[in-house]
Amino acid sequence: MKTLPLILAAAFCASARAAVPESEAAKLGGELTPLGAQTAGNADGSIPAWNGGILTPPAGYKPGTHHPDPFAADQPLYTVTAGNAGQYDARLTAGAKAMFKAYPDYKLVVYPTRRSASNPQRVYDATRRNATSARLVSDGNGIAGATVGIPFPIPQSGLEVLWNFLTRYRGVSAIRRIDQAAVERGGGYVTVKFEDEFLFNYVRPDIPPKELEEGNTLIFFKQAVPAPARLAGTILLAQETMDQVKEPRRAWVYNAGRRRVTRAPNVAYDNPGTAADGQRTSDQFDMFNGAPDRYDWKVVGKREMLVPYNAYKLHSDKVKVAEILKPGHINQDLARYELHRVWVLEATLKPGQSHLYSRRTFYIDEDSWQILAADQYDKQGQIWRVSEAHCINYYDAQTFWSTLEVHCDLQNGRYLAIGLDNENPMYDFSIKRTPDDFTPDALRREGTR
């Protein structure tokens, strides 16, 4: 495990919750990237220095289309298999090791490391301001003194690392049309179609911290289900609060059969995910969401690990969903893995709290604060579900975000794939939305149209 900078090591031990001093914040944009990653590469050069990530789309890209792979010419460096996994033990997640044991054909095809993550300059500027003003509130269940950028680019506790993930940049407004499939042990599946709309309130241009804190709303989200027929017409609306202990997530659902809007208080924690056939919890959507209050959060350290990255093959409109979904796990020939430095964040269920998962380990990209992989453990302490977020830089919006999430259940041999966009129109980051578009009245009007 790599040694943490002195200020981080001391702070994690002390569970400090204050903003860093100006002398530390001054490292951003130099020794540290604007979001707080180590700018330099590693000692042997297998992780290069960060040079800004992808700043412009590659030649041939047309707005509104699937994103061409800027690294298509890269050749694999090596492949990790069940037979040679021991050679790479220190660089494998616990989940990857479990997958090798469960599936002899499982493999990680490893490519050269490309630190492609980038954000707009205004996000970097806001991150610099947040570094000396952001703070945790409500015992770490909320934040204050931050907007737009990463709140804690030089984190001092596990909760600060988590909040960096929860507030990471994903554009301002977006609409995406994706498929979800719960794949049976034998490979069969039925796709569920989603139309998701987001307004990331936290990153709205020039939104002041006071407005965020008083409104207590981090994200506005709406999810319509066009198919299959048994679910068609259902619409979920959620207002993700900044402090979900002070004020729980506000959620409503439009039921097409009853043509009514009703409150949906159970869209949280370990309640079943939407149309997921019991294969994920509500708080596994986007790898983790919602209130952190049921767990104790601890940073294990920063490590160099093999993680999914630059998943342009899995994103391609030249690939059919049937080519991706195979028995046991997705088609690993289409997945790309790279060596990156990640924060290892461990969540342990607090005494007296209830959740399906007694422990969870998250592997968080230092360059983007995106969770790339997660291991979920059952109440007996055995690894149960293994999750991966296969991400790309959506260079039309300069955001590094998942194109496909996969949640593999080691106990029943099934898995859930969500985000399949290959046969759907591409994400649209140009849409304009306001908070008024995400109210129960707006949901009622949309449902009855």
Side-chain angles (χ1 to χ4, degrees), residues 165-223:
F165 162 75
L166 293 173
T167 57
R168 73 202 188 281
Y169 183 76
R170 286 157 284 176
V172 178
S173 298
I175 183 170
R176 65 179 188 180
R177 299 169 181 87
I178 58 174
D179 293 345
Q180 173 179 277
V183 182
E184 301 288 344
R185 183 186 290 268
Y189 61 88
V190 174
T191 56
V192 177
K193 292 191 172 294
F194 292 136
E195 185 172 294
D196 296 343
E197 289 189 21
F198 300 85
L199 172 59
F200 297 103
N201 196 47
Y202 176 85
V203 301
R204 284 167 51 205
D206 303 319
I207 186 169
K210 184 177 181 181
E211 180 180 336
L212 270 176
E213 293 158 24
E214 290 179 351
N216 195 30
T217 307
L218 185 71
I219 301 169
F220 295 95
F221 173 70
K222 184 167 58 179
Q223 184 179 73

Side-chain angles (χ1 to χ4, degrees), residues 43-355:
D44 65 8
S46 54
I47 297 176
W50 183 79
N51 62 2
I54 299 177
L55 300 177
T56 57
Y61 170 68
K62 296 180 180 179
T65 65
H66 284 67
H67 300 74
D69 185 353
F71 311 119
D74 287 355
Q75 297 299 309
L77 298 175
Y78 55 91
T79 300
V80 184
T81 66
N84 66 6
Q87 300 175 35
Y88 305 97
D89 186 77
R91 292 181 169 179
L92 296 175
T93 67
K97 295 174 189 178
M99 291 293 288
F100 283 122
K101 290 181 180 179
Y103 302 103
D105 65 334
Y106 189 72
K107 61 183 176 181
L108 307 183
V109 184
V110 181
Y111 288 80
T113 299
R114 302 286 192 172
R115 296 179 69 178
S116 58
S118 63
N119 282 171
Q121 185 62 45
R122 73 180 187 90
V123 176
Y124 298 152
D125 294 341
T127 298
R128 180 65 176 80
R129 294 191 296 270
N130 293 342
T132 57
S133 64
R135 64 190 187 279
L136 296 174
V137 297
S138 299
D139 292 325
N141 293 304
I143 60 171
T147 61
V148 180
I150 295 299
F152 307 108
I154 306 175
Q156 302 177 72
S157 69
L159 277 167
E160 290 188 356
V161 172
L162 178 68
W163 275 105
N164 288 347
F165 162 75
L166 293 173
T167 57
R168 73 202 188 281
Y169 183 76
R170 286 157 284 176
V172 178
S173 298
I175 183 170
R176 65 179 188 180
R177 299 169 181 87
I178 58 174
D179 293 345
Q180 173 179 277
V183 182
E184 301 288 344
R185 183 186 290 268
Y189 61 88
V190 174
T191 56
V192 177
K193 292 191 172 294
F194 292 136
E195 185 172 294
D196 296 343
E197 289 189 21
F198 300 85
L199 172 59
F200 297 103
N201 196 47
Y202 176 85
V203 301
R204 284 167 51 205
D206 303 319
I207 186 169
K210 184 177 181 181
E211 180 180 336
L212 270 176
E213 293 158 24
E214 290 179 351
N216 195 30
T217 307
L218 185 71
I219 301 169
F220 295 95
F221 173 70
K222 184 167 58 179
Q223 184 179 73
V225 184
R230 62 184 174 85
L231 299 172
T234 302
I235 308 174
L236 170 68
L237 171 67
Q239 299 175 355
E240 188 82 343
T241 52
M242 292 270 287
D243 183 344
Q244 293 197 16
V245 173
K246 174 183 176 182
E247 182 183 10
R249 170 185 292 152
R250 303 179 290 260
W252 300 262
V253 64
Y254 175 79
N255 184 292
R258 293 187 294 168
R259 299 176 68 83
R260 289 183 57 196
V261 173
T262 57
R263 290 299 297 260
N266 293 327
V267 183
Y269 297 113
D270 57 353
N271 287 295
T274 303
D277 204 17
Q279 290 302 109
R280 71 164 175 84
T281 59
S282 287
D283 64 6
Q284 276 182 275
F285 183 76
D286 199 31
M287 299 301 281
F288 182 84
N289 69 85
D293 62 312
R294 294 191 180 182
Y295 290 92
D296 288 317
W297 299 84
K298 177 185 176 182
V299 171
V300 178
K302 188 186 281 190
R303 297 175 57 187
E304 296 178 2
M305 305 195 74
L306 295 172
V307 286
Y309 220 92
N310 292 313
Y312 290 95
K313 286 184 181 178
L314 285 170
H315 173 77
S316 173
D317 59 351
K318 306 297 190 297
V319 173
K320 300 296 184 184
V321 167
E323 297 175 66
I324 296 173
L325 303 180
K326 302 297 180 183
H329 53 76
I330 64 168
N331 184 349
Q332 290 294 106
D333 286 321
L334 297 173
R336 174 176 174 137
Y337 293 81
E338 299 178 4
L339 182 68
H340 283 264
R341 288 184 292 244
V342 297
W343 293 94
V344 182
L345 179 62
E346 193 162 283
T348 304
L349 193 63
K350 291 178 178 178
Q353 293 287 355
S354 175
H355 199 287

